[in-house]
Amino acid sequence: MELSDEALVLACRRGDATAWEALVERYYRLVYTIPRRAGLDREQAADVCQRTFATLFEKIEQIEQPARIGAWLATAAKREAWRISRREHSAGVNSSPTADDQLAEEAVADVLLPEEELVRLEEQHIVRMAMGQLDERCRQLLILLFYRSDIPAYIEIATALGVSEGSIGPTRARCLQKLRRLLDLMGF
Amino acid sequence: MPLRSIPFSRLVDLVEGRLAPEVEAQLQAQIADDARADADVRWLGRVIAAMRQAATLEEEPPKEVVARAVALFRPQSASRPLNPLQRLPAMLSFDSLLAPQPIGLRSGQPLERQLLFTAGEFSIDLRLTPSGTNWSVAGQVLGPSAGGGQVALVSPSTSAEVALNELSEFTLPPVPAGNYTLTLRLVDIEVEVDRLQVG
């Protein structure tokens, strides 16, 4: 059973390097995708990733809600994306923003990546985490069915999985119900 | 007339977009009178949309991005409280590969590449030299006396670490060609040379 976000953060505070690695593995895709969706290039997104996790390491003792570390990382990544974006257009960087600066940053950062878009990215992340806890058969089926932009024919899925075409529909429903139970536990 | 329960599978067909328009319209009318089915459809809509958007919009970062983030972690000793370590990113100020060749000198790939980085009050002189099929990374840290330290060279597949000597010099074990992060851990300061191409 995977450790919860809260358990990982508390373990990091105790100096557990494997907990830190697990936290990075859990959130690196979300933290990297946020600046990319905000229009930054790959190099800038890599900078955002590094700065965001460096900030997390520095402030890990001060995180007030360890269970919501995902939301904290998403907000931090969005702010870093805005800072790096701003740096490209003006000289000088305010490396130690005041509280007022941070409020202004959040307002302007919304233009770069609206809050509803951030919420969607977080939901994508939570669904992906839940998918990782499904059994292999369900995970493969749901990936083939839904991690794509088109609507696949059942014969294509059945061939890929080596099962009968008639079994796809009922299995799909059962797997989605399993996913639902996992997502309910994660507060989705 | 009692409410008819709509099979969950049918609701998935609806949200996926597998139903003919007239069938979809009939089902929507039924769902309007069925609170449970309505909640199921809303849930399916959120989840399936999340999966479809992830497929088209999520991006896998390069492995070294993840490796660098993992390498940030430093366990705190029990004897001192957690303090933020000052981190300085190093900026490249000289690369022998980019320096113009003097007139009259035969052109050709130099055997050794010299790089100079600056980070605050520190300068890092690096020499990259072929060593068989690998590369030797050696150098010296110049600046305020650090009283010792460690240097680490990390990539997703390789890592090497060595202590600085009394002259703040170091020679790392030979490593394969690749893209690395070089980290110098001095007292209360960490200097990072990012995206160092070795070889």
Side-chain angles (χ1 to χ4, degrees):
Chain A
M1 185 73 177
E2 281 191 350
L3 289 178
S4 67
D5 283 352
E6 183 172 11
L8 285 180
V9 171
L10 296 180
C12 287
R13 287 177 180 172
R14 292 192 299 270
D16 187 341
T18 54
W20 173 259
E21 186 171 353
L23 205 55
V24 170
E25 291 282 343
R26 189 170 287 185
Y27 283 106
Y28 74 83
R29 195 181 283 104
L30 175 66
V31 172
Y32 185 79
T33 299
I34 285 171
R36 290 291 282 147
R37 289 300 309 280
L40 275 62
D41 63 32
R42 288 193 180 89
E43 201 169 303
Q44 291 169 321
D47 277 346
V48 168
C49 229
Q50 186 69 355
R51 287 169 186 265
T52 302
F53 282 109
T55 305
L56 173 63
F57 175 69
E58 287 170 17
K59 295 185 187 293
I60 199 149
E61 290 285 338
Q62 301 152 40
I63 304 289
E64 291 178 357
Q65 295 179 289
R68 290 188 44 77
I69 194 65
W72 189 95
L73 281 166
T75 303
K78 182 175 155 180
R79 281 210 200 107
E80 287 297 340
W82 179 76
R83 286 195 193 126
I84 287 178
S85 174
R86 186 182 69 164
R87 193 178 63 193
E88 298 295 315
H89 293 99
S90 63
V93 174
N94 181 7
S95 59
S96 301
T98 64
D100 283 345
D101 288 339
Q102 284 181 343
L103 284 173
E105 272 182 1
E106 280 190 28
V108 179
D110 266 356
V111 175
L112 197 65
L113 191 72
E115 189 61 26
E116 52 268 25
E117 181 64 26
L118 194 64
V119 168
R120 272 198 287 273
L121 287 173
E122 288 181 62
E123 288 194 340
Q124 287 165 32
H125 168 78
I126 294 171
V127 169
R128 186 180 281 278
M129 294 298 303
M131 287 282 290
Q133 295 186 45
L134 281 175
D135 57 273
E136 184 63 24
R137 186 171 174 229
C138 274
R139 185 167 49 250
Q140 280 186 352
L141 174 63
L142 295 185
I143 287 173
L144 288 170
L145 279 170
F146 300 121
Y147 275 85
R148 57 199 296 165
S149 53
D150 62 333
I151 303 170
Y154 279 177
I155 185 66
E156 176 197 322
I157 308 295
T159 305
L161 293 177
V163 299
S164 69
E165 189 180 345
S167 71
I168 297 297
T171 309
R172 174 194 62 172
R174 279 198 301 276
C175 291
L176 282 168
Q177 295 284 32
K178 286 186 188 178
L179 183 66
R180 189 172 199 171
R181 284 192 285 277
L182 287 167
L183 285 171
D184 283 348
L185 289 172
M186 295 166 118
F188 185 79
Chain B
M1 185 182 241
L3 285 171
R4 187 186 306 167
S5 171
I6 304 168
F8 185 72
S9 194
R10 200 74 172 141
L11 298 178
V12 184
D13 287 335
L14 171 70
V15 175
E16 270 199 271
R18 290 185 184 270
L19 301 178
E22 60 276 12
V23 175
E24 184 178 322
Q26 283 174 2
L27 191 55
Q28 292 282 18
Q30 285 181 273
I31 290 168
D33 291 329
D34 187 333
R36 182 175 174 177
D38 184 62
D40 285 346
V41 166
R42 288 176 193 279
W43 182 87
L44 284 165
R46 271 176 80 199
V47 172
I48 292 175
M51 290 193 271
R52 283 178 173 163
Q53 285 164 10
T56 51
L57 300 170
E58 258 186 12
E59 196 168 330
E60 191 74 20
K63 285 194 174 66
E64 57 263 28
V65 171
V66 184
R68 280 165 51 208
V70 170
L72 283 166
F73 189 82
R74 302 284 178 266
Q76 300 301 310
S77 66
S79 59
R80 66 186 177 110
L82 177 63
N83 281 323
L85 190 67
Q86 187 184 358
R87 282 192 182 82
L88 298 176
M91 307 295 292
L92 180 68
S93 53
F94 174 79
D95 184 347
S96 61
L97 266 189
L98 303 176
Q101 294 280 349
I103 295 171
L105 196 69
R106 249 188 312 177
S107 65
Q109 189 76 6
L111 284 178
E112 182 181 273
R113 180 183 179 193
Q114 190 181 1
L115 300 152
L116 187 65
F117 292 86
T118 54
E121 296 173 286
F122 297 92
S123 294
I124 302 106
D125 177 24
L126 286 184
R127 293 181 305 284
L128 312 183
T129 314
S131 175
T133 55
N134 290 329
W135 285 79
S136 168
V137 178
Q140 187 177 27
V141 182
L142 306 161
S145 172
Q150 292 280 119
V151 57
L153 189 66
V154 174
S155 79
S157 54
T158 306
S159 68
E161 192 162 334
V162 74
L164 299 177
N165 68 12
E166 61 276 11
L167 297 176
S168 297
E169 294 168 323
F170 62 90
T171 301
L172 286 154
V175 295
N179 208 320
Y180 292 83
T181 297
L182 183 85
T183 305
L184 291 146
R185 293 186 206 112
L186 311 173
V187 178
D188 290 334
I189 282 183
E190 197 170 88
V191 176
E192 188 176 273
V193 177
D194 197 18
R195 291 189 282 270
L196 176 67
Q197 185 61 42
V198 174

